[in-house]
Amino acid sequence: MAYEKPLPVINEDTAPFWEYCHKHELRMQKCRQCGYIRFPASIVCPRCHSLEAEWTRLSGKGRVYSFIVYHQAYHPSYKDELPYAVAIIQLDEGPRMESNVIGCEMEDIKIDMPVEVIFDDVTDEVTLPKFNPAL
Ligand SMILES: [Zn+2]
């Protein structure tokens, strides 16, 4: 069955992030000069302005920084998933990212809850990082 939900817009800067997701690895740019891990991807470090960065593998562990549970489908393709949670995940290594918390009842999601990444291969090309409650 075709995947009908919106897909990420992948550009030259973000392509490596999505390629690593496809390999089920959560990687973000780490500045070679000051060590700052940044997200979303960009060509320059916002801390020290260095252009030198490497794609470092993250633990995939973090905590729920904020979240909302959708009870209404604002895009028709989400109607069968209601209710679902969109969350900002505070990763252990520092960056925050938007994602979904899955693998539990919506009422069990709490601020500061430990979570860990899983990878959802939604199309042949695109894999979305999502988060499960950490055991
Ligand atoms: Zn830097």
Side-chain angles (χ1 to χ4, degrees), residues 10-39:
I10 298 173
N11 63 32
E12 192 179 330
D13 290 334
T14 63
F17 174 81
W18 295 109
E19 286 162 14
Y20 285 119
C21 283
H22 193 63
K23 297 178 191 168
H24 291 197
E25 295 180 9
L26 188 64
R27 289 182 185 255
M28 292 182 180
Q29 289 170 302
K30 180 178 183 179
C31 176
R32 283 208 175 102
Q33 186 154 313
C34 75
Y36 182 69
I37 299 174
R38 63 182 184 259
F39 186 79

Side-chain angles (χ1 to χ4, degrees), residues 6-105:
L7 289 166
V9 177
I10 298 173
N11 63 32
E12 192 179 330
D13 290 334
T14 63
F17 174 81
W18 295 109
E19 286 162 14
Y20 285 119
C21 283
H22 193 63
K23 297 178 191 168
H24 291 197
E25 295 180 9
L26 188 64
R27 289 182 185 255
M28 292 182 180
Q29 289 170 302
K30 180 178 183 179
C31 176
R32 283 208 175 102
Q33 186 154 313
C34 75
Y36 182 69
I37 299 174
R38 63 182 184 259
F39 186 79
S42 63
I43 60 165
V44 64
C45 176
R47 287 250 171 104
C48 75
H49 305 147
S50 171
L51 298 173
E52 299 296 319
E54 62 193 29
W55 286 87
T56 191
R57 190 166 184 177
L58 306 186
S59 66
K61 295 181 188 302
R63 289 178 178 272
V64 174
Y65 179 78
S66 183
F67 73 99
I68 187 167
V69 176
Y70 282 73
H71 294 274
Q72 180 174 334
Y74 291 96
H75 186 284
S77 61
Y78 286 90
K79 109 175 125 53
D80 292 337
E81 278 193 37
L82 295 172
Y84 66 94
V86 174
I88 298 173
I89 305 299
Q90 172 70 62
L91 296 167
D92 283 0
E93 291 85 356
R96 291 177 187 155
M97 65 182 294
E98 278 186 45
S99 183
N100 298 115
V101 176
I102 61 172
C104 65
E105 298 299 324

